[in-house]
Amino acid sequence: MPEIISPPALHELWQSALPQLAESVGHAACDSFLRSAQVIAYDGETLLLGVANEFARDWLADRHLPAISACLSELVKKPVQVQMQVVERSEPPPAPQSSLMQVPEPSLATFGSTPLNRKYVFDNFVVADCNRFAHAAAQQVSKSPGKSYNPLFIHSKVGLGKTHLLQAIGHKVVEQNPGAQVAYISAESFVNQVIAAIRDNRTAEFRRKYRNVDVWLVDDIQFIAAIEGPASEEEFFHTFNTLYETNKQVVIASDAPPRHLQIMNDRLRSRLEMGIVADLRCPDVETRIAILDKKAQAEGLSLPREILAYVAEKIESNIRVLEGALLKICAHVSLADEELTLPVVEEIIADYSAASAPQRRLSLQYIAEYIADQKNCSLEDMLGPKRNQEIVWPRQIAIYLAREKTDSSLAKIGEFFGGRDHSTVLHAYNKVSELLETDEVVLWEINEYKRAMETQ
Ligand code: ADP
Ligand code: MG
């Protein structure tokens, strides 16, 4: 029978675990990542731990999960499985410039929309030539929703601030008019809602619920057509028209301008083109420095200009990646006693320039042994038939590296890794390649292995 444990008891459990955890994972990691964590749920077997950000989650998951689990098991006197989840902090952020303090959240939560991220406000947005027009249009829209530019259509490549601007509009509108109904939704969840409504015969209700929205913020609209085709596009068009015709504000973000969107409805396309279309371009190096500076200060860190400039020059195209590098530097500052000098920073963000590192060919045996060692599994398992997750992931990494760092054919690699066929090798290779594009931590980890293997 599942045990019900009250939130205060969970809090206490976590507090009493902290001293022991500090001993086993180290004080620095404990202070940085665990002290601010909270137990969200515990059913007598699995304990769900809420941590502050993805970096903390991945850091703990990679290095300290067994220690955390052991410590909690000891306290409750039975085995505890630990899972982690990133949670937004519930109290307002310390930054005084945040305009979010007075935002009443409940009005945003209606309409099945996603709550806004507290960080994405106008005050945190650095304005420069690359985004001046989009920023001005966004501000204008938030001052007089439905009256000036409708719809506002913002497009750019990934990681350049579309979501930030969309949500900044939402925050501003509610701040000025707490009664306003603002709905932020990604096109992907919109599509999912449409599918669910059709399935449950609730389309009428679904349509009704958007009628009273004052500002509709739709993110990543390219998904509307990409995922489900005509039905969701149709539904989107309907909602869009209803709001547009009653002078409600619609703001849309997309990875492409309206004329390149893969939508079938020409009336929808021309409506989208009829509003204001603004793009966000890559920031120049001065702007990247300003953005880094602002983010560093928000993390309570003041970095010398020399360091900001170095990072800004290394990472050119994507502000999200720029932020990732900065987070890594912040983590380093809080975990290591070392002074933050330029060589140290070079080392920390070396992955971003690892592509230019010298190439060396390695042997299959060496790669398999190295990864088995790093991942704490046996070489026998790595090359054997087991398919549980603990061994599959290390094996996939080793296969990926084998393909990158040896001249062996797919068939030869498959044969070496336990007589697997070439499609398995390809699958592993593709899986890791995809993650490298989306997951900072995997990128960091793989680059780390490459560098270490090459220099040994
Ligand atoms: P997109 O939606 O275009 O993929 P996001 O809005 O998610 O990009 O932006 C990625 C990250 O970069 C976010 O953390 C955002 O706060 C930050 N960012 C983007 N543009 C700026 C800017 N001009 N000033 C400050 N931060 C920015
Ligand atoms: Mg986005």
Side-chain angles (χ1 to χ4, degrees):
M1 206 175 81
E3 300 165 37
I4 309 291
I5 302 175
S6 68
L10 292 177
H11 178 75
E12 206 158 281
L13 169 67
W14 186 240
Q15 291 305 313
S16 54
L18 283 172
Q20 180 57 43
L21 282 169
E23 291 305 317
S24 45
V25 310
H27 286 271
C30 183
D31 286 344
S32 306
F33 300 133
L34 289 175
R35 222 165 275 292
S36 60
Q38 67 209 53
V39 178
I40 301 171
Y42 172 55
D43 64 3
E45 279 174 13
T46 305
L47 181 142
L48 185 61
L49 193 61
V51 296
N53 53 45
E54 286 171 14
F55 191 86
R57 182 195 60 199
D58 295 333
W59 181 285
L60 293 170
D62 272 3
R63 294 171 176 75
H64 301 307
L65 214 45
I68 298 171
S69 167
C71 176
L72 290 165
S73 308
E74 168 104 9
L75 273 175
V76 301
K77 306 267 176 285
K78 61 180 176 178
V80 178
Q81 291 236 14
V82 177
Q83 290 180 354
M84 281 183 288
Q85 179 182 325
V86 177
V87 289
E88 286 280 312
R89 266 183 304 165
S90 52
E91 76 270 30
Q97 82 265 33
S98 169
S99 54
L100 254 166
M101 311 278 185
Q102 317 86 9
V103 174
E105 298 278 6
S107 68
L108 300 171
T110 6
F111 306 111
S113 65
T114 317
L116 302 179
N117 183 329
R118 292 167 182 281
K119 289 191 309 187
Y120 293 162
V121 290
F122 282 121
D123 282 340
N124 293 344
F125 193 82
V126 173
V127 184
D129 285 344
C130 56
N131 57 33
R132 203 176 301 282
F133 180 66
H135 173 262
Q139 283 215 311
Q140 184 59 36
V141 157
S142 55
K143 275 192 205 122
S144 50
K147 299 210 174 69
S148 32
Y149 307 133
N150 208 9
L152 168 62
F153 190 101
I154 302 174
H155 67 94
S156 79
K157 287 192 282 189
V158 66
L160 295 182
K162 296 182 294 293
T163 299
H164 191 139
L165 276 184
L166 233 57
Q167 298 207 359
I169 294 173
H171 284 307
K172 191 82 189 174
V173 167
V174 180
E175 186 189 302
Q176 286 166 346
N177 174 6
Q181 297 293 341
V182 173
Y184 167 88
I185 189 165
S186 75
E188 196 174 359
S189 13
F190 182 85
V191 170
N192 290 335
Q193 288 182 16
V194 172
I195 296 169
I198 294 174
R199 184 196 57 211
D200 304 340
N201 268 331
R202 287 172 46 208
T203 38
E205 190 185 325
F206 176 79
R207 288 180 170 196
R208 251 195 324 273
K209 90 177 174 179
Y210 283 101
R211 230 176 255 166
N212 296 324
V213 172
D214 298 306
V215 177
W216 197 37
L217 309 164
V218 187
D219 208 347
D220 290 318
I221 198 196
Q222 68 272 9
F223 282 110
I224 288 281
I227 306 181
E228 259 314 289
S232 48
E233 196 182 304
E234 193 67 18
E235 208 48 55
F236 176 81
F237 188 48
H238 180 87
T239 307
F240 176 86
N241 276 342
T242 308
L243 293 173
Y244 180 81
E245 277 157 15
T246 49
N247 292 326
K248 303 300 176 57
Q249 181 70 47
V250 181
V251 187
I252 291 166
S254 162
D255 70 350
R259 66 177 182 286
H260 289 155
L261 267 186
Q262 299 210 332
I263 46 180
M264 278 163 269
N265 187 328
D266 286 336
R267 275 169 55 224
L268 173 58
R269 187 192 309 282
S270 64
R271 286 249 154 132
L272 295 180
E273 279 174 335
M274 258 159 30
I276 281 277
V277 178
D279 68 342
L280 298 166
R281 293 180 305 277
C282 290
D284 62 14
V285 68
E286 284 305 318
T287 310
R288 298 201 295 278
I289 294 175
I291 292 174
L292 276 176
D293 198 16
K294 191 151 203 159
K295 305 252 177 218
Q297 282 179 19
E299 298 288 327
L301 204 68
S302 165
L303 296 176
R305 181 167 166 103
E306 174 191 45
I307 288 179
L308 296 175
Y310 176 81
V311 179
E313 256 152 42
K314 275 273 174 287
I315 301 162
E316 282 179 289
S317 60
N318 180 325
I319 302 173
R320 191 173 299 130
V321 177
L322 201 62
E323 264 188 282
L326 183 72
L327 264 186
K328 213 186 272 181
I329 295 171
C330 292
H332 184 89
V333 170
S334 61
L335 294 179
D337 281 337
E338 192 175 20
E339 198 195 333
L340 194 69
T341 58
L342 198 52
V344 174
V345 171
E346 275 176 31
E347 168 100 36
I348 300 172
I349 68 160
D351 321 339
Y352 297 97
S353 52
S356 56
Q359 297 285 314
R360 214 186 91 193
R361 297 283 102 185
L362 305 170
S363 74
L364 291 173
Q365 182 73 22
Y366 175 72
I367 293 174
E369 274 173 11
Y370 183 84
I371 299 299
D373 183 50
Q374 289 294 314
K375 288 291 197 186
N376 279 328
C377 52
S378 71
L379 185 63
E380 199 186 349
D381 281 347
M382 171 82 84
L383 306 181
K386 281 195 191 158
R387 295 225 305 246
N388 49 327
Q389 196 48 36
E390 290 80 49
I391 186 66
V392 166
W393 176 233
R395 189 185 292 134
Q396 286 175 330
I397 292 179
I399 289 178
Y400 171 87
L401 290 167
R403 183 129 197 257
E404 286 276 299
K405 292 271 140 211
T406 71
D407 296 319
S408 312
S409 64
L410 292 175
K412 181 122 184 270
I413 296 173
E415 188 189 321
F416 180 83
F417 283 91
R420 294 179 155 79
D421 72 17
H422 80 280
S423 64
T424 309
V425 174
L426 210 52
H427 172 76
Y429 183 81
N430 290 339
K431 170 151 184 225
V432 176
S433 306
E434 270 165 33
L435 282 172
L436 287 177
E437 305 234 318
T438 54
D439 189 326
E440 285 275 317
V441 174
V442 174
L443 175 72
W444 175 78
E445 184 181 1
I446 301 281
N447 279 327
E448 207 46 35
Y449 294 149
K450 279 191 190 166
R451 204 175 38 240
M453 288 193 302
E454 274 171 1
T455 48
Q456 267 177 15

